[in-house]
Amino acid sequence: MIIIRISNIPEWRKLIALNQVNAPMLTRAWSFLVSIRWRALHAAALLCVAGVAGSQSTVLEVIPLRYRTAQEVIPVIQPMLAREGSVSGLQGQLIVRTTPANLEEVKRILASIDTAPRQLLITVRQDADSDRSRANTEVSGSVGGEHGRVTVPGSNNPRGGNVVIGEGDNRVRVQGADGRSVESDRNTQTVRVMEGREAFVHVGQSVPVRERQVRRVVINGQLVEQVVDGTQYRDITTGVYVLPRLSGDRVMLDISPQRETLSRQIPGAVNVQGLVTTVSGRLGEWMEIGGISQNASGQQTVLIGRKTTATRDDRRVLVKVEEAR
């Protein structure tokens, strides 16, 4: 509502009083006031027209989405809006307020991005290779003469090869043992997911873990320690979390694989392998997203002999993304 107020009415009354003395002056004053009123009405009409035009400069439309969610498309639409425009989402719909021309542009953009997401098949392979070798060589026996005898005891280990050289009461024994173990483990997991969606898959088992606790209790005023044996179950799992995003034939992948296995060297221990990363590559190609390589060696010298050990542990994680058929 536009209100125009003319505040010089008392002056008009004065002009009426003057009319009794000067009629021409009253006529001019009347013409002046009439012109002011017409100008005010004209200005008010212009303001009303401008207000109506301003209210029609933006339009509001609710656009239903077919395949994508509002959270996916709003970050794309937001920068394309006019300065006075706004966009929000509600239950699979976009609520857009903008100019008519900009609304048509928004609809063209939506037509290109609100398409059916592509189905993807993601394969994660976790490889583990270990090579352990050991060698043991020792000399034992008894050698002596008129002035004394030297005896070197052996380990009495029946494994390995033995060479014994003897003459009379003299005996020399040379023993050698070599051992090597090679282990390979291939774990492969696949998951089907739509582009832009998250997926998580894991498998595993619950294993019993024995534990011993020492509790302190007060009995007859004395502090007594009690040893309590118990068993708890621990989940040993292998799984992967993925979030793929496509751009043509390239894929950007947020991935977090995890693998747990029981240790064969330490009873009750668990080997843990985990990785969190973002990688990019082409559809259908294997991508190595991480790996661990460990090498260790040791040597121990006995009285007459030597023991050596060597360990190599290699782990790799590879991923491949394909378009599901």
Side-chain angles (χ1 to χ4, degrees):
M1 179 182 293
I2 300 173
I3 300 176
I4 300 176
R5 180 178 298 171
I6 301 176
S7 60
N8 56 352
I9 298 302
E11 298 298 331
W12 167 247
R13 291 176 178 175
K14 292 179 182 180
L15 289 175
I16 294 176
L18 291 174
N19 183 41
Q20 300 175 357
V21 180
N22 192 344
M25 183 179 295
L26 178 61
T27 302
R28 290 194 297 272
W30 173 255
S31 300
F32 175 71
L33 287 176
V34 170
S35 66
I36 289 178
R37 288 177 179 273
W38 278 107
R39 290 177 184 176
L41 291 174
H42 181 66
L46 291 178
L47 289 175
C48 291
V49 172
V52 173
S55 64
Q56 294 179 351
S57 62
T58 61
V59 294
L60 178 67
E61 185 164 340
V62 178
I63 305 175
L65 298 174
R66 300 178 58 192
Y67 301 103
R68 304 292 176 167
T69 64
Q71 290 76 12
E72 288 179 300
V73 301
I74 285 179
V76 180
I77 298 300
Q78 188 76 51
M80 307 298 177
L81 291 177
R83 183 177 58 183
E84 61 273 22
S86 63
V87 60
S88 60
L90 178 63
Q91 295 180 353
Q93 296 176 329
L94 281 186
I95 304 174
V96 182
R97 181 187 294 275
T98 186
T99 62
N102 187 231
L103 181 61
E104 296 301 321
E105 182 180 358
V106 168
K107 290 181 177 179
R108 288 194 297 269
I109 297 173
L110 277 176
S112 63
I113 64 176
D114 188 19
T115 57
R118 297 156 71 179
Q119 293 276 347
L120 302 176
L121 183 66
I122 301 176
T123 304
V124 179
R125 195 178 78 193
Q126 303 186 56
D127 298 344
D129 299 313
S130 62
D131 187 347
R132 296 176 175 83
S133 61
R134 57 187 178 276
N136 182 15
T137 304
E138 67 175 13
V139 177
S140 61
S142 178
V143 178
E146 297 179 357
H147 302 287
R149 179 169 292 274
V150 176
T151 301
V152 178
S155 60
N156 297 321
N157 190 347
R159 293 179 300 178
N162 294 276
V163 176
V164 179
I165 302 174
E167 182 178 352
D169 294 333
N170 298 325
R171 293 288 187 274
V172 177
R173 177 172 175 261
V174 180
Q175 181 183 25
D178 291 330
R180 183 184 182 186
S181 63
V182 178
E183 297 179 1
S184 296
D185 188 7
R186 302 287 184 267
N187 183 277
T188 302
Q189 291 178 303
T190 60
V191 59
R192 185 184 294 263
V193 62
M194 291 189 298
E195 60 169 307
R197 304 293 197 273
E198 299 177 344
F200 176 73
V201 59
H202 77 282
V203 295
Q205 59 180 335
S206 294
V207 297
V209 179
R210 296 182 59 86
E211 63 178 12
R212 175 169 293 183
Q213 297 179 349
V214 178
R215 298 178 181 177
R216 293 180 174 86
V217 296
V218 178
I219 301 177
N220 296 328
Q222 294 183 350
L223 184 63
V224 179
E225 293 185 349
Q226 294 181 344
V227 179
V228 179
D229 292 330
T231 302
Q232 290 188 351
Y233 284 85
R234 175 173 178 177
D235 292 337
I236 308 299
T237 62
T238 296
V240 60
Y241 159 85
V242 290
L243 172 60
R245 294 182 292 270
L246 288 182
S247 177
D249 64 342
R250 297 192 63 85
V251 58
M252 180 174 290
L253 190 66
D254 296 339
I255 184 169
S256 175
Q258 181 176 351
R259 183 167 181 263
E260 298 178 347
T261 57
L262 290 174
S263 175
R264 298 183 179 180
Q265 286 73 39
I266 306 175
V270 178
N271 300 320
V272 179
Q273 174 180 304
L275 180 67
V276 178
T277 187
T278 300
V279 295
S280 176
R282 294 188 178 277
L283 289 174
E285 69 176 10
W286 282 103
M287 296 176 284
E288 184 172 352
I289 61 176
I292 300 174
S293 180
Q294 296 178 333
N295 292 277
S297 60
Q299 179 175 314
Q300 179 182 3
T301 301
V302 294
L303 183 59
I304 301 180
R306 185 176 60 180
K307 297 180 180 180
T308 59
T309 59
T311 302
R312 181 178 60 84
D313 194 359
D314 295 327
R315 299 175 181 269
R316 298 192 310 162
V317 181
L318 301 98
V319 62
K320 179 173 65 173
V321 181
E322 302 172 285
E323 189 167 1
R325 302 299 180 182

